[in-house]
């Protein structure tokens, strides 16, 4: 299994964009994509509970968060506001040397092959703090 950090080191550069790499998903790890507002609340919850967190990428222009998880968890995400990305998926990501920039960056990028546990992430995404805050924001937007 290749860690996300190792995959970044060997991933091809995106043409003419310094620091951006093209990562093949599904080779030792999958991704869960969520909106930034939901993903950041879940990340705060995971940090507060001391959960083990694998790589987490913030995509600023598209306002999304990507969590690296173990492969083979596609069934876990039914009914949640997420998208599971696996084999035959690609991700444009900043290299490990680029931590933050206008387009986002790595919120978490462990030095080893740590991944976020799928069930722990699922529980965080369903936590009342996360779901209540998102429901409040949606209702405020309708006023």
């Amino acid at each position: 299994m290749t860690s996300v950090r190792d995959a970044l080191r060997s991933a091809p550069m995106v043409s003419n964009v310094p620091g951006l790499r093209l990562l093949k998903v599904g080779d030792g790890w999958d991704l869960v994509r969520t909106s930034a507002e939901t993903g950041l609340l879940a990340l705060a919850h995971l940090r507060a509970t001391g959960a083990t967190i694998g790589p987490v990428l913030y995509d600023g222009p598209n306002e999304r968060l990507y969590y690296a998880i173990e492969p083979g968890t596609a069934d876990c995400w039914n009914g949640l506001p997420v998208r599971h990305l696996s084999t035959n998926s690609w991700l444009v990501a900043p290299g490990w040397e680029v931590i933050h920039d206008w387009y986002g960056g790595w919120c978490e990028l462990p030095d080893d092959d740590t991944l976020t546990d799928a069930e722990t992430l699922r529980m965080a995404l369903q936590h009342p703090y996360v779901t209540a805050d998102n429901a409040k924001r949606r209702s405020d937007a309708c006023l």
Side-chain angles (χ1 to χ4, degrees):
M1 175 167 79
T2 302
S3 72
V4 172
R5 189 178 285 265
D6 288 341
L8 281 168
R9 285 187 183 111
S10 61
M13 298 269 296
V14 175
S15 61
N16 299 327
V17 184
L20 288 185
R21 306 274 180 181
L22 186 59
L23 287 176
K24 183 178 180 186
V25 181
D27 189 16
W29 44 271
D30 286 355
L31 293 172
V32 168
R33 183 181 75 198
T34 184
S35 69
E37 69 179 344
T38 299
L40 290 169
L41 288 170
L43 181 58
H45 176 74
L46 291 170
R47 287 174 173 165
T49 60
T52 300
I53 304 170
V56 178
L57 177 65
Y58 171 60
D59 172 1
N62 294 304
E63 297 188 14
R64 294 180 176 153
L65 232 62
Y66 294 84
Y67 285 86
I69 59 165
E70 65 271 8
T73 64
D75 296 344
C76 294
W77 309 107
N78 294 335
L80 289 174
V82 302
R83 178 142 186 217
H84 178 251
L85 304 170
S86 189
T87 306
N88 296 323
S89 297
W90 295 86
L91 176 71
V92 174
W96 62 271
E97 68 281 357
V98 180
I99 301 301
H100 301 288
D101 208 330
W102 69 270
Y103 50 80
W106 294 98
C107 300
E108 301 282 339
L109 188 57
D111 290 330
D112 57 15
D113 59 358
T114 299
L115 298 171
T116 302
D117 177 70
E119 186 57 29
T120 303
L121 177 57
R122 181 176 176 67
M123 289 187 322
L125 290 166
Q126 293 177 312
H127 191 276
Y129 171 76
V130 174
T131 57
D133 192 67
N134 283 329
K136 181 182 180 328
R137 286 185 183 166
R138 282 191 297 273
S139 68
D140 289 349
C142 295
L143 297 178

